[in-house]
Every structure is written in structure tokens, then in C-alpha cells.
């Protein structure tokens, strides 16, 4: 994500399009945090808790991920292939397919909630995100941030303004 300067009145893009989408990982099941996009990289994560308790600097976790990420893909600290606990032949795609087949009647209430949220930010100018055209109903149903359509991009996507001042 780009760093957002709340004092700017000019348009600012929240998502860095040069950063590969497959590097937007999300932790589940008990880990929660707040992201302050006004802060520099390395200083954005706040209120990091696991099962309601603050995460300690020396606290260790086992991360279930794919072999690309586990071997250093994306350059995430601590994931360089030197501390693998289990190397299984199961592909993420196959595991997900099997899980969905075992749970054919999914609804939002049965899935984990969001593990992170943005810190409130009162920006003086528009903050822009790009997403699928006509995504507002789904975004509102999911309880996502206040989005407003800015313009269609003529490629199946739409630019939206997002209000992080909640």
C-alpha cells in the first residue's frame, strides 16, 4: 500500500499497483491488527493481538503457507525456508477446493471475520482504490469501508474513493 499523507488535497492511490496482488496475504484465526497507512513502511502495524492478547516481540507462530512464500517468495521476514516445520505435497488450490466441497453451503456468517482494519484517517483529499465494476453492493454487504464510485475505467474496473475517517 502507498503511504497516505492526510494533509494532501490531491488524489492519492491507496494500493500500489506495482506490488503483486499475490503478496497480499492475510492471517486468520485469532490474529488481529490495525494498519495506519499514514506511517512509513515498517511502522504501520498497530494493536497486534492474538486471541485478544498483545503479541510479544519474542512470540513465535507457525505459518501455514505455500512453498513459494515459505522459501522466501515475497521477501517476508522469517520466511526463507530455514525454519520449515512441515513440507507437504498438497497444493493450496487443492486444499481450498477440497474444503469448499466439504462445505457446500457457505455464507458470510460461517467464515472468519476480517483480521485487520485501517486506522481512522481524516484525509483532506480523495483516497482512491480500483476494483471490479459494480462492486459497491458486495462491498457494502461485507461491511467494508465507505466507498463511492468515482469513474469507470472502461476495462471492467472502477475507481472508487474510500473514506478511512470512520
Amino acid at each position: 500500500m502507498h503511504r497516505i499523507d492526510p494533509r494532501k488535497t490531491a488524489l492519492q492511490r491507496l494500493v500500489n499497483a506495482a506490488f503483486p496482488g499475490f503478496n497480499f496475504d492475510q492471517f486468520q484465526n485469532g490474529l488481529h491488527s490495525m494498519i495506519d497507512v499514514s506511517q512509513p513502511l515498517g511502522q504501520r502495524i498497530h494493536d497486534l493481538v492474538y486471541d485478544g492478547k498483545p503479541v510479544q516481540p519474542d512470540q513465535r507462530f507457525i505459518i501455514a503457507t505455500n512453498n513459494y512464500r515459505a522459501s522466501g517468495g515475497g521477501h517476508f521476514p522469517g520466511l526463507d525456508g530455514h525454519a520449515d516445520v512441515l513440507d507437504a505435497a498438497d497444493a493450496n488450490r487443492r486444499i481450498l477446493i477440497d474444503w469448499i466441497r466439504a462445505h457446500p453451503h457457505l455464507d458470510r456468517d460461517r467464515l472468519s471475520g476480517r483480521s485487520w482494519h485501517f486506522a481512522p484517517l481524516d484525509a483532506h483529499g480523495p483516497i482512491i482504490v480500483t476494483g471490479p465494476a459494480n462492486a459497491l453492493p458486495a462491498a457494502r454487504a461485507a461491511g467494508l469501508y465507505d466507498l463511492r464510485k468515482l469513474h469507470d475505467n472502461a476495462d471492467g474496473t472502477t475507481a472508487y474513493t474510500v473514506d478511512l475517517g470512520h
Side-chain angles (χ1 to χ4, degrees):
M1 283 180 240
H2 288 292
R3 184 176 184 185
I4 300 297
D5 182 344
R7 298 167 298 183
K8 284 187 177 180
T9 57
L11 177 148
Q12 297 181 78
R13 294 196 177 277
L14 180 61
V15 177
N16 180 352
F19 190 79
F22 54 79
N23 277 333
F24 282 100
D25 291 342
Q26 179 172 310
F27 293 103
Q28 295 290 329
N29 299 327
L31 194 63
H32 299 277
S33 65
M34 179 176 66
I35 302 171
D36 185 345
V37 294
S38 70
Q39 298 301 310
L41 289 175
Q43 298 176 28
R44 293 182 179 173
I45 304 300
H46 299 272
D47 301 332
L48 182 61
V49 297
Y50 178 68
D51 283 343
K53 297 175 190 159
V55 171
Q56 301 304 310
D58 61 345
Q59 194 167 352
R60 298 174 57 99
F61 292 89
I62 294 175
I63 307 295
T65 189
N66 60 23
N67 62 344
Y68 165 78
R69 179 75 68 238
S71 63
H75 309 288
F76 288 81
L79 295 175
D80 61 6
H82 289 94
D84 290 354
V85 174
L86 173 67
D87 185 3
D90 303 308
N92 286 6
R93 180 179 294 168
R94 174 52 45 202
I95 292 169
L96 184 57
I97 290 169
D98 290 346
W99 189 88
I100 290 171
R101 284 184 175 152
H103 301 87
H105 303 289
L106 294 177
D107 58 48
R108 183 170 282 113
D109 295 336
R110 297 177 64 191
L111 300 174
S112 295
R114 287 181 288 179
S115 61
W116 60 271
H117 64 277
F118 288 115
L121 183 68
D122 290 319
H124 290 126
I127 300 171
I128 305 298
V129 296
T130 299
N134 302 315
L136 286 178
R140 289 185 178 128
L144 296 180
Y145 299 94
D146 187 10
L147 297 176
R148 292 190 180 94
K149 182 178 176 178
L150 184 62
H151 60 78
D152 285 320
N153 295 324
D155 63 357
T157 66
T158 296
Y160 301 94
T161 60
V162 58
D163 181 1
L164 298 179
H166 55 275

